[in-house]
Structures are given as C-alpha cells and as structure tokens.
Amino acid sequence: FLTNRRKSLRNHLSSSNSSINFNLHDDDQLVENDDVDIEIIKLSKNSRRITCRIAINANLQTVWNLLTDYEKLADFIPGLAVCQLLEKTANHARLFQIGQQNLAFGLKFNAKGIVDCYEKDLETIPFGQRRDIEFKMIEGDFQVFEGKWSIEEMNNESQEVIKSSAEQEFQTVLSYAVDVKPKLWLPVSLVEGRLCREIKVNLLSVKRQAQKVIQSELHSC
C-alpha cells in the first residue's frame, strides 16, 4: 500500500545507515542463562542460516499470544526500540521495526526495516501440536532476511521431552530460524557473532516473559 505513510517510511529506510531489525542492549544476566541451542550454517560467502531453540515452561497459546502481540514486542525484547503494526489481516501482519546495533571497531548502526509476518494455522504433529510464524524483510538492511518462529507443544505422552541443564522437564519448545544476507557494503562476518548473541537474547526474553505470564495467571487463581 503506497500511502503517504508508507512513502514516508520508505524514505526513512533509504536515508539511514543500518544493519538489522532485532537488536539488544547488553543484558549479561540473560546471556548467562545459556540454555539456547544455536547453530550456524554457511549458505554462501556472505549469507548464513542461523537456527536456535529453547524450552519454555509455558503452553503454546501463551507463547503465541506474546509473539503476535506485535506492538508490545518492544516492551520485553532488548534493543527493539519500535515495533509498529502497519497492516493486519487474518493471518498477515506488516511491521515497521527500529532497533540499534553496536558492531566492531566502534561502528554503530540504526536498524530499520519493514517485515511481513505470516501466521500459520495450528498443526497436529507426533506427540503434540505446532504453530509457525513465517517472516520476511521486504525493505531494509539486508538483501535477504527471512525465516520462521515455530512453537511446539508436546503432550504428556511424548517421549521427546526437552530438558534444561537443571534436568527440568518442559512441554513447549520455541524455535527460530533465519536466512540472512547483508547488503554488499556490510560483510556478514562483521555481524554474525553479534547477531547470534542477540537472537539468543531474544529467545531468552520471550521465555522469561512467557513464564512471567504463567506465574501471574497462577497467582490470580
């Protein structure tokens, strides 16, 4: 939709020095809770696939509600300064996001991007159920920035119980996968490590927020 508002956002994007739309301030307490599995795959010289997952003591619907309440994501995702809902239909959302990223050698980039999110229907899987949110940056800092949030809730009969380092059992696993290719002026090696760290913080932040919601519901009963 090429409204005046969209044109203004387009100009805002093209005029900024930027890197990526999910960011963080230093949050060492979160990173110390190192219960995120993360993997990096080299797709080409300047592109990577990053996948990670975390177990959460919350049900699928609680996590889903947090991830799809888009304009409140900035309330608990460190460094995501703005997450503005531009357009919403039944299973699609278009977001304008602003963050800030500190890189090596004292470089600092403002992060701005327009991202399309596609909310998938609930699926039945062996031992449970799953629901996904696919996303793709359509304007912004990368040639490619697209991937998927996936929430899997295991039922009580599942033999695939996920355990933390404390050997606690969880029923829900949140996964995040993204293919990323920066624009030519920004080598992927410059942002790869920082990007992995902020993705880890994002998942830990979602976990912490989901468990706060569950605790609040328990106390209100």
Side-chain angles (χ1 to χ4, degrees):
F1 53 95
L2 291 177
T3 61
N4 291 334
R5 184 184 185 192
R6 174 66 183 278
K7 290 177 181 177
S8 176
L9 290 173
R10 187 189 297 273
N11 293 335
H12 195 31
L13 285 167
S14 62
S15 65
S16 64
N17 292 324
S18 52
S19 61
I20 188 169
N21 60 327
F22 289 109
N23 307 280
L24 72 157
H25 300 141
D26 289 336
D27 196 334
D28 294 333
Q29 288 184 342
L30 275 178
V31 175
E32 285 173 4
N33 297 325
D34 192 7
D35 52 1
V36 181
D37 294 325
I38 191 162
E39 178 184 15
I40 305 171
I41 299 174
K42 184 176 180 179
L43 300 178
S44 67
K45 181 178 179 180
N46 207 39
S47 63
R48 300 289 187 271
R49 174 171 296 157
I50 303 171
T51 59
C52 51
R53 49 190 262 142
I54 191 169
I56 302 178
N57 275 322
N59 56 36
L60 183 153
Q61 192 62 47
T62 296
V63 180
W64 178 267
N65 290 344
L66 286 175
L67 292 177
T68 56
D69 194 357
Y70 299 107
E71 293 193 300
K72 292 186 179 179
L73 289 175
D75 293 345
F76 63 91
I77 298 291
L80 182 58
V82 173
C83 189
Q84 180 182 355
L85 184 63
L86 301 179
E87 181 180 332
K88 185 71 174 75
T89 59
N91 296 107
H92 168 257
R94 177 162 291 176
L95 312 175
F96 176 61
Q97 297 179 325
I98 301 176
Q100 202 169 66
Q101 177 66 25
N102 296 314
L103 299 178
F105 313 115
L107 297 176
K108 188 172 184 178
F109 295 88
N110 291 324
K112 300 177 176 67
I114 295 176
V115 179
D116 276 344
C117 298
Y118 301 92
E119 301 169 5
K120 301 302 181 178
D121 293 334
L122 187 67
E123 298 178 67
T124 299
I125 59 174
F127 308 113
Q129 54 186 355
R130 180 180 66 209
R131 199 165 186 190
D132 297 338
I133 304 169
E134 297 178 355
F135 59 86
K136 182 175 183 179
M137 180 181 288
I138 60 170
E139 295 182 37
D141 308 325
F142 288 89
Q143 292 187 52
V144 177
F145 192 91
E146 60 185 53
K148 178 174 69 174
W149 291 94
S150 184
I151 312 164
E152 295 184 0
E153 182 180 285
M154 308 299 179
N155 61 33
N156 292 331
E157 297 177 357
S158 174
Q159 300 302 310
E160 300 178 8
V161 174
I162 306 299
K163 294 186 177 182
S164 71
S165 58
E167 296 299 315
Q168 293 175 296
E169 294 183 359
F170 297 87
Q171 287 187 311
T172 298
V173 177
L174 175 63
S175 302
Y176 179 88
V178 62
D179 290 353
V180 57
K181 183 178 182 180
K183 292 183 176 179
L184 294 177
W185 58 267
L186 185 64
V188 71
S189 58
L190 187 63
V191 299
E192 179 181 325
R194 190 71 179 183
L195 180 57
C196 287
R197 184 177 184 274
E198 65 185 53
I199 289 173
K200 178 183 288 190
V201 170
N202 290 346
L203 266 71
L204 288 164
S205 298
V206 174
K207 173 179 179 175
R208 184 170 65 176
Q209 188 68 16
Q211 294 179 176
K212 282 183 179 179
V213 171
I214 294 298
Q215 289 298 316
S216 178
E217 291 175 351
L218 289 174
H219 289 314
S220 65
C221 292

